[in-house]
Amino acid sequence: MRRARTGTLLAAAALLAGLLGTGGSAAGAGGAPAVGPAGAPRNAVAAAEAVGAENCDTGASLPPGERVGAKIQEIRKRGYLVVGVDQSAYNWGYRDSQTGKIQGFDIDLARAVAKSVLGDGNKVVLKTVATADRVKLLQQQPQPIDLIARAMTITCERLEQIAFSAPYFRVSQRVVAPKAAHAGSVAQALGGKRVCAALNSSSHGELKANPHGAASVVTPDNQLDCLVLMELGEADATLSDSSLAAAMVAQDQTMELAGEPFLPTYMGVGMNKNDTDLIAWVNQVLAEWRTGGGWQASYDTWLRPGMGDPGPYRPW
Amino acid sequence: MAAQTPQGGVLAPPPGRAPEPAATLPAALPSGRFSGPLGRLRTAARTPPGRLRTAGAVLVALVLLFGTVAAWQSADRAAAARRLASRSEPLSQDAAELYRSLADADATAAAGFLMASAEPPELRKRYQDDLETAARLIPQAAARSGASTEAQRRLADLSRQLPRYAGLVETARAINREGLPLGGAYLRYASDFMQQTVLPNAQRLADTEAAALDGDYDAAAAVPWAALALGASALAALGRYQVVLFRRTNRVFNPGLLAASAAVLAALVWTAGGTVAAGTGLHQARTQGIDPLRALNRVRVEAMQAHTAEILNLVSRGATEAYDGRWDALAKSLTAPAGGPGSVAGLSAAAPGRAGAQLADARQWFEEWQRRHADAAKLDEAGDYEGTLRKTLAPGRDDTAEAAFNAAGQRWERAGQAEQTAFEAAAGGVDGGLTVQAVAAALLAALAVGGTARGIGRRLAEYR
């Protein structure tokens, strides 16, 4: 009886807090750029060859090279690299609760860049950034961060605003829903449901273009907030990149990846368009990371336990 | 029987005699301006004994009215003074304490999260103490708040929100121990809930209690103008009538009326003197207790909020500039020169003697805290997160910003206790004095009524 009552109170207050959160998010969404063409035709595209089958080539970036330009000089003069990361994407960029340090697959990549540019993988300042702020922070002057390694998918819309490195991971959209919902498909998992997606994430963009029958959409600052909202009964399902969807399922055994993956895309390192020297440099680091076994080692450390064989995720 | 008296008989009076009994009734209206009982009274009042009776009635009524109003107003103010000392001021303090406990719980939970596995047991205990303090204060305040529906509603909300907040934090902790980042997401959720829902509620409760305190203070310190005016009128009427009697009878003294005048004068002086005494006590309670406590509460709340912003800024790791901005705004008002609202420098100016030393000490620690924060912020600027963390909060070290904040907080707490004691000393006896004054006014007025009746009765007896 007492448990049930506490549960009800929890749910009620969660709703209240959620409303407050959504209110703030709505204001943010107002400033979000318009979404590209409707998602319906894109859903039909499932083949790997069709990755980035939009009006642009999401797999293309500047050729790799170590050229010291204005940006590299600026970073070397400063003495450390500032990287925008996540602290709550399990195994990608997250805070170890024992040591308090941020670690994960994306962090390994950030350190590899710092090691290449500055000769020391520890000369890196990790700044957590909200999903919604990623593009804005790269465009701001003065730029508060040099680059973003934060499970960021390459989209045509973003390519108009910022630059990306060559792809370093292949992902698609996945639905996370409670196992108890027994959803057999994406349409079943999202239809008539309260769907959660991180504000201004690619999943949020997809939901705006094609709601998949969702009754409502909540957009907290961070994809992991969606898991909190689902656990507190404030959302029924979450749409996310497969990378982060796997991270959510790994943290809550009552959740599952529901339905089929769709909308395959690449993940890349986000940078300012003008920092051509840094973009080329990062592409050089990525090439070495791939050929030198660094990518594989990081995958084995962080992602293999949850995602299995890396085959489907390699962008090359 | 009815057949034997066909022409009316005893039961049915003959038609022509019907008005006859009416003619004998006194209520044969209206034959003149002063006819009837009122007329008789007016006629009687024109006779010397009648005039005496009328004057006596007027005097007795005036004295009775004075006694009633003086006793009632004094009792009213005594009740307000009692509420002030025993209810509204402690409630106001409790509301401030409740706010601090909740804000401190939030900052402490965040700090524990930052320290990860190095979280010292004292920090855990501090969080639990904060929640226990809040859990104790809410029902205590609800029991004391009486009929204030606004306060009761706030308290009911808080008592619902507190276990929910605690539940969220415990969930965050449990998940955090498993090493999952989901714990951090829960903590963020809990902190948002505290900052956006619980604390604003606690703030409005504190505002409500502060308004109730002001109301009680004003009621207790109100000057009883009605009683004083009536007392003066009664005294003037008694004196004037004694002069009239002296002219008419050539008797210098009427002992009854003289005694009545003395009693009314005593009641009037007592009421006026008591008002001055209570006003002095209340004024002292305000300047030594209420005002400095209010200023201190404001500073402590602002300092607490600044401390929370400092910690949450580290938790967010640069994800938002909001906490930095909040720190800057709060620090600006805290470091403002004396006179500005919420200024630390202004505290010592307002404080009574005993609290002064603690406040001076607290101010030094406050400045030390600001210096250490500035040092930490410089490290943060240079991208040294670990260094910033060490400068801001590290278990078991006393050279951190948090240690200085805690030192200032402890001294502020002691200063608050001294100011509370000063308030209790100043406001404590006020209600007793006013109660005695109410009883005295009633008794003296009764005495004056007796004296008036006796004095008039003696004169009346001369006409028999």
Side-chain angles (χ1 to χ4, degrees), chain A residues 131-202:
Chain A
T131 307
D133 295 339
R134 290 179 298 189
V135 170
K136 187 180 74 190
L137 287 174
L138 285 175
Q139 290 179 310
Q140 255 174 32
Q141 286 302 333
Q143 229 174 286
I145 47 178
D146 298 319
L147 53 90
I148 284 184
R150 192 188 177 285
M152 196 168 184
T153 49
I154 307 171
T155 65
C156 292
E157 174 205 336
R158 285 177 186 157
L159 274 173
E160 285 170 20
Q161 300 163 310
I162 56 168
F164 280 98
S165 70
Y168 68 89
F169 216 84
R170 182 189 291 162
V171 289
S172 51
Q173 295 289 313
R174 293 302 304 258
V175 174
V176 180
K179 283 177 183 166
H182 301 296
S185 68
V186 170
Q188 247 184 327
L190 299 184
K193 299 290 168 56
R194 295 167 299 168
V195 181
C196 184
L199 182 67
N200 291 2
S201 63
S202 55

Side-chain angles (χ1 to χ4, degrees), chain A residues 14-64:
Chain A
L15 188 67
L16 185 58
L19 285 173
L20 287 167
T22 317
S25 304
V35 186
R42 285 188 283 160
N43 291 337
V45 184
E49 288 73 25
V51 164
E54 298 186 68
N55 305 325
C56 67
D57 182 3
T58 55
S61 183
L62 295 180

Side-chain angles (χ1 to χ4, degrees), chain B residues 10 33 126 138 164 190 204 237 261 268 281 303 322 327 350 357 387 429:
Chain B
V10 284
R33 270 180 68 210
R126 178 164 159 182
I138 291 170
R164 167 169 162 64
R204 283 192 287 270
S261 304
L268 190 59
W327 165 276

Side-chain angles (χ1 to χ4, degrees), chain A residues 83-97:
Chain A
V83 183
V85 298
D86 199 344
Q87 64 170 333
S88 53
Y90 195 34
N91 293 329
W92 284 89
Y94 75 105
R95 187 181 172 281
D96 182 291
S97 62

Side-chain angles (χ1 to χ4, degrees), chain B residues 241-301:
Chain B
Y241 196 66
Q242 281 173 82
V243 171
V244 167
L245 276 185
F246 165 66
R247 283 190 185 139
R248 203 171 289 155
T249 63
N250 274 334
R251 274 182 237 265
V252 180
F253 295 118
N254 179 316
L257 289 177
L258 207 58
S261 304
V264 168
L265 182 65
L268 190 59
V269 168
W270 200 319
T271 302
T275 299
V276 171
T280 310
L282 287 167
H283 180 72
Q284 203 174 359
R286 164 139 258 168
T287 53
Q288 308 269 294
I290 297 172
D291 286 346
L293 273 172
R294 198 167 275 182
L296 182 58
N297 283 337
R298 177 160 183 162
V299 162
R300 288 178 75 188
V301 162

